[in-house]
Amino acid sequence: MWRWCCGTRRGRKAFKLTPEFASASKVLAANQGLYNGFLAAGLIWGLYLGAAGFQVKMFFLLCVVIAGLYGAATVGRKILIIQTVPAVLAIVALWLGL
């Protein structure tokens, strides 16, 4: 994950990172990648379970919402649009049975 997001010129440009900052924060980026992988695995597990996975999907979507709210409060409001709003829409769709 780190190599993709921060270890290349294109990745550093996308995230507006200097090579020095990218190198210094590679452990944090790897941790974030692992966290995102666990969230994705949980959501895939919930999808695999079908209707029986409602609580699993809800739990992992709420984790995404909480992380998005924390990110918006500590990093920037743009995270609300990128992370929190899609998760909230997914929760609404889940409740509606879509």
Side-chain angles (χ1 to χ4, degrees), residues 1-30:
M1 173 67 186
W2 177 84
R3 178 88 178 121
W4 172 83
C5 79
C6 307
T8 65
R9 188 176 334 142
R10 185 176 177 191
R12 287 190 304 270
K13 183 179 178 185
F15 291 97
K16 299 178 182 157
L17 304 175
T18 65
E20 296 79 21
F21 183 79
S23 180
S25 63
K26 70 181 179 180
V27 173
L28 295 172

Side-chain angles (χ1 to χ4, degrees), residues 1 29 32 64-65 72 78 80 84 89:
M1 173 67 186
Q32 183 179 3
V64 173
V65 169
K78 184 177 178 183
L80 283 174
T84 309
L89 292 174

